[in-house]
Amino acid sequence: MARSRLTPEREAELYAAVLDLLREVGYDALTMDAIAARTRSSKATLYRQWGSKPELVAHAMRHNKPIKLVDVDTGSLRGDFHAVMAHTDDCQMEKDSALMRGLFHAVHDSPDLLQALRELLIEPELNGLAEILQRAVDRGEVAADNPALKYVTHMLVGAIVARQLIEDRSPDRDFLTSYFDAVILPALGV
Amino acid sequence: MARSRLTPEREAELYAAVLDLLREVGYDALTMDAIAARTRSSKATLYRQWGSKPELVAHAMRHNKPIKLVDVDTGSLRGDFHAVMAHTDDCQMEKDSALMRGLFHAVHDSPDLLQALRELLIEPELNGLAEILQRAVDRGEVAADNPALKYVTHMLVGAIVARQLIEDRSPDRDFLTSYFDAVILPALGV
């Protein structure tokens, strides 16, 4: 795979620069030229490694995630969620929320970006979440036929979007922990 | 109040024309000139009656709602929700979802629109929902200290947004009814 020619350090540096630029100018105004200049790469390299701007941005967003859901396995559903939260930083969450809002604004005009975010960011998260929930079912914490199992993502997305839309605030650890205990665990019968 | 000079029929006709134009050109390209031409009004009249484009659009959206939550009172929480759904039409919901997506895209660049939507659309809905929930508490259906009470909006917003984002589908009656029974009632201990 072409991407393996970069060292992990160089890749991390490049992704960080992409996100910095994205925060500065927004997705629409972000150009491969600007990324090439900022990262002292050639545009040819960028296109060879990532194919397109949406894919590069989605890879940068995925790299930026502080914790992979799939790495979490504490032995209980509440424990798994608290482990995710323990690795999350409120300031970082606020910055990431602003980035995500900008990107979900941009997908309105860029189906390619939506597709790249679905493939590289949303689906891996959904799979990680599905594994956490499957382990809870296997342990007998959650009934296999609990009808809320297929709506956990909807509940989580709602927490994040409604917090911003209605309360005009970014989600933070206290809020998400309270929501998880008040809504998600009871709906799952835990 | 200046607005009372229009007959209800004329007002309804005008709001319908605003929403038609909004679907055709989107919020950013919608002009008071175009609304005046389409509705055979003068721009001066529009500004006198509604003050601004964001307020006119938010009024039109509010008028368009097929049912006011606050009018619903069946004697049970599940009954109230089913009454709301019974007055909802899947085709209309799909058209409304597309409109709302367009508007929530537009608020990114128009804080005035966000404020008008909050005042005229979101807050009345939140108040209507709060009344439905308060009656459920008064009847003893939901414990007054149930921690999920303050998150019912978040759960609902999540259902609608995640349905679109993850499943790429508009919410419909079957989906919302299933979500209500699987998530919202159990979280509220009903």
Side-chain angles (χ1 to χ4, degrees):
Chain A
M1 184 181 187
R3 197 168 302 127
S4 63
R5 273 182 254 163
L6 292 182
T7 65
E9 292 72 23
R10 175 69 179 134
E11 201 173 85
E13 186 183 279
L14 202 140
Y15 288 147
V18 169
L19 296 185
D20 282 345
L21 267 172
L22 195 56
R23 289 193 184 90
E24 289 166 28
V25 303
Y27 182 80
D28 289 340
L30 181 71
T31 62
M32 292 296 253
D33 280 315
I35 296 169
R38 178 72 65 97
T39 60
R40 276 160 294 182
S41 335
S42 73
K43 259 184 15 174
T45 303
L46 296 179
Y47 279 110
R48 193 174 59 241
Q49 304 272 339
W50 285 281
S52 69
K53 172 175 130 179
E55 285 175 69
L56 173 51
V57 166
H59 274 285
M61 290 296 293
R62 181 165 74 172
H63 184 84
N64 182 49
K65 286 206 63 62
I67 191 171
K68 307 277 182 289
L69 282 183
V70 76
D71 299 335
V72 169
D73 187 4
T74 65
S76 80
L77 188 55
R78 179 177 267 120
D80 284 357
F81 181 75
H82 282 241
V84 173
M85 285 293 104
H87 285 85
T88 306
D89 172 77
D90 279 349
C91 172
Q92 189 63 42
M93 217 186 307
E94 196 174 328
K95 282 167 67 183
D96 291 350
S97 297
L99 261 186
M100 285 308 291
R101 279 200 304 283
L103 288 180
F104 283 110
H105 180 70
V107 299
H108 195 265
D109 301 313
S110 167
D112 288 353
L113 176 62
L114 179 57
Q115 197 190 327
L117 289 174
R118 278 213 176 107
E119 273 174 30
L120 292 163
L121 210 60
I122 297 176
E123 279 174 22
E125 288 297 290
L126 291 180
N127 292 339
L129 183 63
E131 286 186 33
I132 287 175
L133 293 171
Q134 185 57 52
R135 285 198 304 265
V137 169
D138 293 343
R139 283 189 304 260
E141 273 192 282
V142 178
D145 62 352
N146 185 305
L149 273 171
K150 65 174 179 291
Y151 295 132
V152 172
T153 330
H154 300 72
M155 295 186 245
L156 283 171
V157 168
I160 293 164
V161 174
R163 173 80 161 174
Q164 198 71 48
L165 187 64
I166 295 163
E167 304 178 41
D168 202 10
R169 299 172 65 183
S170 291
D172 55 37
R173 278 164 68 161
D174 286 349
F175 166 76
L176 286 176
T177 305
S178 157
Y179 185 83
F180 191 78
D181 289 343
V183 169
I184 299 181
L185 290 180
L188 291 171
V190 177
Chain B
M1 186 181 189
R3 198 167 303 128
S4 63
R5 271 180 258 163
L6 293 183
T7 64
E9 292 72 22
R10 174 71 179 131
E11 202 173 85
E13 186 183 280
L14 202 141
Y15 289 147
V18 169
L19 297 186
D20 281 345
L21 267 173
L22 196 54
R23 289 195 184 91
E24 289 166 27
V25 303
Y27 182 81
D28 289 341
L30 181 71
T31 62
M32 291 297 253
D33 280 316
I35 296 169
R38 178 72 65 97
T39 60
R40 277 159 293 181
S41 338
S42 73
K43 256 182 19 171
T45 304
L46 296 178
Y47 279 111
R48 194 175 57 242
Q49 304 271 339
W50 287 280
S52 70
K53 170 176 133 180
E55 285 175 70
L56 173 52
V57 166
H59 274 283
M61 290 296 293
R62 180 166 73 171
H63 184 82
N64 182 50
K65 286 206 64 61
I67 191 170
K68 306 277 181 287
L69 282 183
V70 76
D71 299 334
V72 169
D73 187 5
T74 65
S76 80
L77 188 55
R78 179 177 267 120
D80 284 358
F81 181 75
H82 281 240
V84 173
M85 285 293 105
H87 285 84
T88 306
D89 171 78
D90 279 350
C91 172
Q92 191 61 44
M93 217 187 308
E94 195 173 328
K95 282 168 66 183
D96 291 350
S97 296
L99 261 186
M100 286 307 292
R101 281 200 303 284
L103 288 179
F104 284 110
H105 180 71
V107 299
H108 196 265
D109 301 314
S110 167
D112 289 352
L113 176 62
L114 179 56
Q115 198 190 327
L117 290 174
R118 278 211 175 107
E119 272 173 31
L120 293 163
L121 209 61
I122 298 175
E123 279 172 23
E125 288 296 291
L126 291 180
N127 292 339
L129 183 62
E131 286 186 35
I132 286 175
L133 294 171
Q134 184 57 51
R135 286 198 304 266
V137 169
D138 293 344
R139 285 189 303 260
E141 273 191 284
V142 178
D145 62 352
N146 185 306
L149 273 171
K150 64 174 179 292
Y151 295 131
V152 173
T153 330
H154 299 73
M155 294 186 245
L156 283 170
V157 167
I160 294 163
V161 174
R163 173 81 160 173
Q164 198 71 50
L165 186 65
I166 295 163
E167 304 178 41
D168 202 10
R169 299 172 64 183
S170 292
D172 55 36
R173 278 163 68 161
D174 286 348
F175 166 75
L176 287 176
T177 304
S178 157
Y179 185 83
F180 191 78
D181 289 342
V183 168
I184 299 181
L185 291 180
L188 290 172
V190 177

